[in-house]
Amino acid sequence: MAIGSLSSTTSSSIGNSSIRGFGGLASGLDRDELIEQMTYGTSSKITQQQQKKTQLQWKQEAIRGISSKMISFMNKYTSSITASTNLFNSNFWGRNKITTTGANSKYVSVSGRAMSSNAFSILGVKQLAQKAKLTSASGVSTGKVMATGVIDDDPDKKYDVENLVGKSISFEYGAESYSIYLRDKASDGTELKYDTVENIEKSIKKLLEDEDSSGKLAKAVNVHIGADKRISFTCNDSNKFEITGGSALEYFGISENDDGTYGNVGVIDEDKLISKKSFTEMLDGKTMTFNYNGKSQTIKLEGVTDFDSLKTTLQSELDKAFGKGRIKVDQAADGTKSLTFKTTNPKGGDDPSSTLRITSADRGLLGKNGVLQANEGLSNRVNLDAKLKESGLNLEKIIGADGTGALYVTDDGKLTTQESPGAKKIEITADDTLNTLMNKINENTNITMSYSAATDKFSITSKENGASGKVELDADVAAAFGFDTTNLTAEGEDAVIAIKYEGSDDVITLTRDSNSFEVDGLTVSLKGKFGYKADDPDKLDEGAEAVEISATVDADKVVDNIKAMVEEYNAIVELVNSELSTKHDRDFAPLTSDQKKELSEDEIKNYEEEAKKGLLFGDSDLRMLSSELRTVISSGLQEEFRKIGISTSNSYSDNGKIELDEEKLRSALATDPENVEKLFTSTAGTNADGTTSYNGLATNLKDVMYKYANPLGSDESKGVLVRKAGTPSSPLSLTQNDIYNQISSIDKMIKTLQDRLENERDRYISQFTSLETLISQMNNQSSWLSQFGG
């Protein structure tokens, strides 16, 4: 038997069931066969829905297979910091163990090959290198207190909650499947609203743009809501387009048909778009996340009924999260129902050195329409994302009343408010924030401007190293950002050290523009000055002890662990792309019960292995995952990774698999293990010295695995694949995922069809029973009449 050519026989719903009465005794008709044929339409629909359910279960199983591998990968390499294989665990690396001996060894650290460590000795450090730098004279936001707006706890007040936020729309376009989640913000930060039909249309169109960066999807799929509130989803090209489900459809008036399909048109009931909730309903049981001195904690608001209980609950929970006496929650001094948050010292008094920020909260708490009347990112430090006019800094000399202005950079690098011939202009707009202004300065000048929340100070640093760098400001710029207006210029200095090579009595003085530099294969980092006379700083102190260096490195453990990590990562890449690229053979539909009776267990197993293939072909989530896996080595670090023997395969068919040259990696670990670790664990941003850093390999792996497979936290924070199919690693997700919802909907449809089938069967049985009775009566009458015949 050719398994692939099995017929699509529908399981009998008549012959395998107990039917009341008897059929065919008088008429000679095969009643059961006839009823089975007459109810074939309904029974075949049941079979189709059962097959659809089975395919969804197989699809769910396939997605869970991928997410399980990713969760295992996270647990081993990126999540559990205590794991010995975790790439962010400093004990993982087994890096070079550098030992510097001598009384002055605390002033020098050296990394490199042990074989070259004794090639020279360091006799003294005369001067440390430093970039030209100016720093604010004092904290620019010292004494600032976090404060919400006025909170309305009137028990009769009702807050509007948009019910569509968090819901989904699933559809097929061409050969691919998509699920659009109705978020409250687009990827570019644009606020999305679902309170009116007009806003729903705009928001869905924006989300379609987010879903496909090429713009093809947004152009092809048309969403329109008319004046009659009728919403329609249509396709502008010849590709197949079909709505396949989603929790948002009930709000659009789009319901599932008897055959399990959905229409593309519905009528929105605006009364369902908004829920009215009281103050208590908005807050009780909700969560907020605070960040205190870099430590984030999520607190839960319970038992909140009014402003006072909110204040009490926040104080209690913050005490538990960060320690008593460190954060003071109070009512505004003017007596309004506004909350203030101040960092304090447990032993008494304010603590202006500590930072506090609200990083996130459940929907409905923050934002201009939130219950707390507080913006996201509320902090006791300068809000770098606020508009310049709202920053709290005195920028009147830089920006005008209309919110615009300009800075200028002169030929010699001076940052000033005064225009001069040849000076480069940096335009300032009303929409600029402190972040965008600093970015403009950093991109257009030879200096780097940054803000430290810990010190509450701005700093301006030259991009040039050592003595090559210079920083100069005019008085207006200095005053605006809290710099000392009596000291407007800073110049850099070079490092100066004295070394002596083994076997030579010559003392060599080295001048370098950085405190970390290479000497004959060794990386020398300077931490302090030593070895020169106090009363004559240009001469070496012959009595000072030189720094001697020894080094060891354990590269075997690091290489073995990275090799295992690469193999597991490549296995994930292969699995994802295999599922994504394998086309489903429609001849292999799930077997019916009658078909299974015709096959052996091995034949059923082999058939179902084929039937399960290709169910994720072209899946949009896997496509995005595959794309992100291809770029786990940041473009800005690819050359650096090639140097240490790690690269992305050049073969397109490998879909981004990583290749490992063990010898190069061993060599890199022996030469500069700190650099190897940095390449893995760095994060994107601007370093204190003004250089640009990129996400390391481990950082990107952590982000991708978390985005798609995180099993923890709320539904919104779970990974894309977990929200889609659930995972055994998160028991709650097994019944809280998109495919489970689709299966539940199919189960309801099957129950409806089974009830219909039972009614049809009863009706036909009744009709056949009447027929049999009539024929029996006619036969009896004929027999009676025949006795009078001649």
Side-chain angles (χ1 to χ4, degrees), residues 569-582 626 629-630 648-659:
Y569 166 80
N570 286 343
I572 292 172
V573 171
E574 185 170 343
L575 176 60
V576 169
N577 286 282
S578 174
E579 294 284 6
L580 186 60
S581 61
T582 301
S626 174
L629 288 173
R630 286 177 180 271
T648 303
S649 171
N650 290 325
S651 174
Y652 185 80
S653 62
D654 281 341
N655 296 298
K657 287 184 178 179
I658 292 176
E659 295 179 341

Side-chain angles (χ1 to χ4, degrees), residues 5-11 40 44 47 51 587 589-590 592 594-595:
S5 61
L6 281 173
S7 66
S8 58
T9 304
T10 303
S11 299
Y40 175 78
S44 64
T47 300
Q51 289 176 320
D587 290 337
T592 65
D594 280 351
Q595 289 173 334

Side-chain angles (χ1 to χ4, degrees), residues 601-786:
E601 289 186 7
D602 286 343
E603 287 176 324
I604 292 174
K605 179 181 178 183
N606 292 335
Y607 180 92
E608 290 190 342
E609 285 179 357
E610 291 298 320
K612 291 178 180 179
K613 291 180 179 179
L615 294 178
L616 298 179
F617 175 73
D619 182 87
S620 61
D621 291 324
L622 290 191
R623 187 179 68 253
M624 293 298 293
L625 171 57
S626 174
S627 175
E628 293 187 39
L629 288 173
R630 286 177 180 271
T631 56
V632 290
I633 299 180
S634 297
S635 59
L637 295 177
Q638 288 183 2
E639 182 58 33
E640 295 300 314
F641 270 102
R642 275 192 286 271
K643 291 177 182 178
I644 66 169
I646 297 174
S647 59
T648 303
S649 171
N650 290 325
S651 174
Y652 185 80
S653 62
D654 281 341
N655 296 298
K657 287 184 178 179
I658 292 176
E659 295 179 341
L660 175 63
D661 185 326
E662 293 185 37
E663 291 307 313
K664 278 189 177 182
L665 180 57
R666 289 180 190 277
S667 177
L669 287 167
T671 304
D672 192 354
E674 291 181 352
N675 180 57
V676 177
E677 180 180 3
K678 182 178 178 181
L679 287 175
F680 273 82
T681 62
S682 62
T683 55
T686 301
N687 299 321
D689 61 0
T691 58
T692 299
S693 63
Y694 303 90
N695 274 349
L697 175 55
T699 304
N700 280 335
L701 285 171
K702 181 177 182 179
D703 290 347
V704 172
M705 299 297 169
Y706 182 91
K707 177 179 179 180
Y708 288 90
N710 173 43
L712 305 176
S714 63
D715 289 343
E716 292 80 5
S717 64
K718 285 186 174 66
V720 172
L721 300 185
V722 176
R723 294 200 304 269
K724 192 167 189 173
T727 173
S729 298
S730 174
L732 286 177
S733 74
L734 297 177
T735 56
Q736 295 177 3
N737 61 78
D738 289 345
I739 294 181
Y740 176 86
N741 293 336
Q742 294 177 51
I743 290 174
S744 297
S745 179
I746 290 175
D747 284 337
K748 293 178 182 177
M749 175 60 66
I750 290 174
K751 179 63 170 61
T752 300
L753 291 171
Q754 287 174 334
D755 291 343
R756 180 191 301 175
L757 178 62
E758 185 69 22
N759 291 333
E760 290 177 353
R761 187 172 63 185
D762 288 347
R763 184 173 70 253
Y764 289 133
I765 288 172
S766 177
Q767 292 173 355
F768 271 104
T769 300
S770 297
L771 175 63
E772 291 291 333
T773 300
L774 178 61
I775 292 174
S776 179
Q777 291 173 348
M778 293 176 66
N779 287 339
N780 290 336
Q781 186 178 21
S782 176
S783 176
W784 180 78
L785 290 173
S786 66

Side-chain angles (χ1 to χ4, degrees), residues 449-491:
M449 185 175 186
S450 61
Y451 171 76
S452 168
T455 62
D456 193 26
K457 294 181 179 181
F458 287 97
S459 64
I460 296 180
T461 308
S462 172
K463 293 178 182 178
E464 296 282 354
N465 284 340
S468 299
K470 181 180 180 181
V471 172
E472 186 175 4
L473 310 175
D474 74 3
D476 289 340
V477 174
F481 295 100
F483 292 94
D484 183 356
T485 56
T486 64
N487 184 21
L488 302 176
T489 303
E491 296 183 350

Side-chain angles (χ1 to χ4, degrees), residues 333-613:
D334 61 5
T336 59
K337 289 185 178 181
S338 173
L339 288 173
T340 62
F341 301 83
K342 179 179 286 189
T343 55
T344 56
N345 191 311
K347 294 185 178 181
D350 294 342
D351 177 17
S353 69
S354 290
T355 61
L356 179 64
R357 181 164 58 97
I358 301 176
T359 57
S360 64
D362 283 342
R363 184 162 58 98
L365 269 62
L366 301 180
K368 62 182 180 180
N369 296 319
V371 181
L372 299 181
Q373 291 293 296
N375 293 326
E376 294 181 10
L378 184 66
S379 174
N380 67 343
R381 290 294 188 261
V382 172
N383 186 351
L384 300 180
D385 293 317
K387 300 290 177 61
L388 292 176
K389 282 287 189 179
E390 302 167 1
S391 67
L393 297 179
N394 183 13
L395 303 176
E396 294 180 358
K397 296 293 183 66
I398 295 179
I399 54 178
D402 61 351
T404 64
L407 291 173
Y408 300 89
V409 185
T410 62
D411 290 339
D412 58 358
K414 183 178 181 180
L415 188 63
T416 176
T417 57
Q418 303 300 314
E419 185 175 5
S420 60
K424 188 171 186 179
K425 183 178 181 180
I426 301 174
E427 293 186 349
I428 300 172
T429 70
D431 290 329
D432 274 332
T433 65
L434 283 170
N435 263 329
T436 58
L437 176 58
M438 288 193 294
N439 287 338
K440 287 181 179 181
I441 292 173
N442 297 345
E443 292 170 2
N444 293 282
T445 69
N446 205 28
I447 60 175
T448 298
M449 185 175 186
S450 61
Y451 171 76
S452 168
T455 62
D456 193 26
K457 294 181 179 181
F458 287 97
S459 64
I460 296 180
T461 308
S462 172
K463 293 178 182 178
E464 296 282 354
N465 284 340
S468 299
K470 181 180 180 181
V471 172
E472 186 175 4
L473 310 175
D474 74 3
D476 289 340
V477 174
F481 295 100
F483 292 94
D484 183 356
T485 56
T486 64
N487 184 21
L488 302 176
T489 303
E491 296 183 350
E493 293 183 343
D494 288 337
V496 179
I497 70 168
I499 66 172
K500 185 166 67 173
Y501 283 93
E502 185 178 2
S504 173
D505 292 330
D506 294 336
V507 176
I508 300 174
T509 300
L510 301 180
T511 301
R512 297 291 184 267
D513 64 2
S514 170
N515 289 321
S516 182
F517 48 88
E518 184 177 295
V519 179
D520 293 349
L522 293 176
T523 299
V524 178
S525 296
L526 307 180
K527 301 177 181 180
K529 299 185 290 184
F530 73 94
Y532 283 80
K533 293 181 178 181
D535 56 354
D536 193 354
D538 289 331
K539 290 185 179 181
L540 282 167
D541 183 352
E542 295 178 358
E545 187 175 353
V547 175
E548 305 292 339
I549 304 144
S550 63
T552 60
V553 59
D554 178 10
D556 291 337
K557 181 180 179 181
V558 178
V559 172
D560 289 345
N561 282 326
I562 290 178
K563 181 180 178 182
M565 181 274 292
V566 168
E567 289 174 352
E568 292 184 40
Y569 166 80
N570 286 343
I572 292 172
V573 171
E574 185 170 343
L575 176 60
V576 169
N577 286 282
S578 174
E579 294 284 6
L580 186 60
S581 61
T582 301
K583 292 186 176 180
H584 178 61
D585 189 338
R586 296 183 181 274
D587 290 337
F588 286 86
L591 294 168
T592 65
S593 57
D594 280 351
Q595 289 173 334
K596 287 184 178 181
K597 292 177 182 178
E598 301 175 19
L599 305 175
S600 67
E601 289 186 7
D602 286 343
E603 287 176 324
I604 292 174
K605 179 181 178 183
N606 292 335
Y607 180 92
E608 290 190 342
E609 285 179 357
E610 291 298 320
K612 291 178 180 179
K613 291 180 179 179

Side-chain angles (χ1 to χ4, degrees), residues 20-40:
R20 300 187 308 277
F22 301 94
L25 296 179
S27 66
L29 299 173
D30 187 341
R31 183 193 68 173
D32 293 354
E33 176 65 26
L34 288 171
I35 292 179
E36 181 176 343
Q37 293 175 6
M38 295 168 73
T39 58
Y40 175 78

